[in-house]
Amino acid sequence: MLDDKDILNIYREGGKEDYAFNLIVRKYSERLYWHIRKLVGSHEEANDLLQDTLVKIWKYLPDFREESKLYTWLYRIATNETLTFLKKERLKNFLSLTDYETSVSNKLESDVYFNGDKIQAELHKAIHLLPPKQRAVFNLKYFEEMKYEEIADILGGTVGSLKASYHHAYTKIQKRLEEID
Amino acid sequence: MNIDKNIKNNILLEDSRLKENPFSLPENYFSGVEQQVHEKIHPAKDSSPFLLFIKNTKSYAYLALSFLIVLGIGYGVMSLTSTLQESSLEQNDIFVLIEEGYLSSSFIENYYDDIAVEELFPSSLERNGASEEDINSTIEESIRERDLIEYLGIEVPESFNSYESNYDYE
């Protein structure tokens, strides 16, 4: 598989934009999908957000100046799309006076594409109860094992603030998991 | 200070299952993503010429439809107004006919022949004890041609004086 530099060179050759973009989609759509999916939970929402993300990547690719790595730039777009969606969802839940915890729990239990056991279900319920940005920090560090510098490049903020955010998230989840039998 | 080190020896670190992906996907999901995104990026290239034409001309079609609606309303108003104008012309014709004496101009004139004087002024006639015939004959007897000529203020020809002298009103 071509590395990011080669793909960007093909993109800038002229007349090969579609081909280069398809290479990016093939290389990164799966990673971006799972990043989005772990943030939102449902496949349908993750699918819509992935497509919106890829459309935005196509739209803004001509302006990409390689000031950051391609994959952190792609993650930044995917994360921003998802966080915007999650904020709207939270507001909708707040306005409809639905109990957010119950709603998260029901959503995960009724998801036909969730095959985890009890402790995995509890972990993902706990993740979904975190504020959206804290959730993103936790997922990028815990599941993707990214460095704080890379997370800072995706989400913004300082390494120190991201470490604090991860610590808060980690402690909350840990406490919740300890409560289950 | 390493925050991660402070929360060591816990479930999140000890249970390796927690890092596994518990979610699944519809079969061959990723093979369809490329095509779906391509359709979103280049929607026009994949549409049939007819659909493309409809899509491109949709705004013009709405504009044309609005224009036709306005035109229809305008035509309706014009038709209504012209009907009213025709009616007023007919009315004008009626006035001309009235002026020329072909039509009666009022209810009384129209129905004059059918109305008896007694019906119009019953109390005055009863008070004087006079009939319609009496009133008509009184008017005919008391008014002379000379009175009419003086009333109208016209010049009397010489021949009329000789005519009048031969006619005894008294």
Side-chain angles (χ1 to χ4, degrees):
Chain A
M1 192 172 274
L2 290 169
D3 67 21
D4 292 352
K5 203 96 183 158
D6 294 333
I7 294 172
L8 289 170
N9 285 339
I10 293 169
Y11 181 80
R12 291 189 182 115
E13 272 179 29
K16 289 184 179 175
E17 292 88 352
D18 275 12
Y19 173 64
F21 177 71
N22 286 339
L23 290 174
I24 292 171
V25 172
R26 275 174 221 163
K27 188 174 178 182
Y28 285 107
S29 58
E30 196 165 340
R31 280 180 72 180
L32 293 174
Y33 171 84
W34 286 118
H35 170 57
I36 296 167
R37 177 75 185 273
K38 282 174 189 162
L39 285 170
V40 295
S42 87
H43 166 69
E44 287 73 23
E45 288 165 349
N47 176 43
D48 289 344
L49 286 163
L50 176 68
Q51 290 192 26
D52 293 346
T53 299
L54 293 171
V55 170
K56 279 209 172 158
I57 290 167
W58 168 258
K59 191 178 171 188
Y60 295 114
L61 201 54
D63 303 323
F64 179 60
R65 298 279 169 257
E66 292 185 66
E67 286 159 4
S68 57
K69 288 177 187 167
L70 179 66
Y71 90 92
T72 54
W73 183 72
L74 301 177
Y75 264 82
R76 196 185 307 155
I77 293 174
T79 310
N80 286 342
E81 279 292 300
T82 312
L83 291 183
T84 307
F85 169 80
L86 289 172
K87 279 173 195 165
K88 284 180 191 166
E89 283 296 296
R90 242 178 137 79
L91 185 67
K92 261 193 255 173
N93 270 288
F94 174 73
L95 293 175
S96 67
L97 302 172
T98 318
D99 176 30
Y100 190 65
E101 190 167 343
T102 314
S103 145
V104 165
S105 183
N106 292 342
K107 200 174 164 184
L108 202 65
E109 278 162 18
S110 61
D111 189 352
V112 291
Y113 296 117
F114 183 80
N115 313 309
D117 57 18
K118 192 179 176 184
I119 195 159
Q120 285 175 316
E122 286 303 322
L123 168 66
H124 286 277
K125 278 180 201 171
I127 291 170
H128 284 90
L129 292 173
L130 295 172
K133 196 169 176 182
Q134 214 174 73
R135 198 186 306 180
V137 175
F138 180 83
N139 283 359
L140 290 170
K141 185 69 188 159
Y142 186 74
F143 294 113
E144 312 246 354
E145 297 179 348
M146 279 189 186
K147 291 174 186 166
Y148 283 115
E149 288 75 12
E150 287 174 317
I151 300 172
D153 201 12
I154 293 165
L155 293 172
T158 62
V159 169
S161 70
L162 291 170
K163 277 182 180 178
S165 184
Y166 180 66
H167 175 71
H168 285 307
Y170 200 105
T171 311
K172 279 187 224 173
I173 294 167
Q174 176 70 26
K175 199 177 167 191
R176 192 178 170 91
L177 293 179
E178 280 168 3
E179 284 168 5
I180 60 168
D181 298 326
Chain B
M1 184 180 72
N2 191 335
I3 295 166
D4 290 359
K5 279 179 185 169
N6 294 340
I7 46 177
K8 263 186 178 177
N9 304 319
N10 56 45
I11 301 164
L12 280 168
L13 287 176
E14 286 164 5
D15 197 334
S16 59
R17 284 176 302 159
L18 292 177
K19 286 211 174 186
E20 287 171 11
N21 184 3
F23 297 101
S24 61
L25 276 172
E27 272 183 45
N28 303 318
Y29 166 69
F30 288 108
S31 57
V33 169
E34 201 177 312
Q35 183 60 29
Q36 286 171 331
V37 173
H38 180 79
E39 282 168 11
K40 280 192 175 181
I41 292 168
H42 305 294
K45 285 181 187 172
D46 300 327
S47 299
S48 70
F50 177 71
L51 288 175
L52 187 62
F53 174 77
I54 293 292
K55 196 176 178 183
N56 289 340
T57 56
K58 208 159 110 181
S59 55
Y60 294 109
Y62 282 130
L63 191 68
L65 187 65
S66 309
F67 178 72
L68 284 174
I69 290 168
V70 171
L71 197 70
I73 292 168
Y75 180 76
V77 171
M78 293 270 285
S79 303
L80 192 65
T81 313
S82 67
T83 310
L84 289 173
Q85 280 173 346
E86 278 171 22
S87 302
S88 68
L89 282 173
E90 283 170 9
Q91 208 168 11
N92 287 341
D93 292 342
I94 290 166
F95 286 134
V96 169
L97 289 171
I98 289 168
E99 277 177 21
E100 289 175 357
Y102 293 107
L103 281 174
S104 301
S105 62
S106 72
F107 176 81
I108 291 176
E109 282 184 8
N110 201 26
Y111 295 99
Y112 180 76
D113 293 340
D114 301 328
I115 296 169
V117 177
E118 300 96 309
E119 287 172 7
L120 285 174
F121 309 103
S123 57
S124 68
L125 289 173
E126 278 170 15
R127 193 167 54 244
N128 298 327
S131 68
E132 189 181 358
E133 274 181 27
D134 293 337
I135 293 165
N136 288 339
S137 63
T138 306
I139 291 166
E140 276 176 19
E141 285 165 11
S142 59
I143 297 173
R144 297 173 302 165
E145 280 89 345
R146 166 73 57 189
D147 295 329
L148 286 171
I149 287 163
E150 282 173 3
Y151 176 76
L152 293 170
I154 55 174
E155 201 174 315
V156 181
E158 194 58 38
S159 57
F160 182 77
N161 291 332
S162 58
Y163 162 79
E164 196 179 33
S165 61
N166 293 332
Y167 211 90
D168 186 15
Y169 287 100
E170 302 299 326

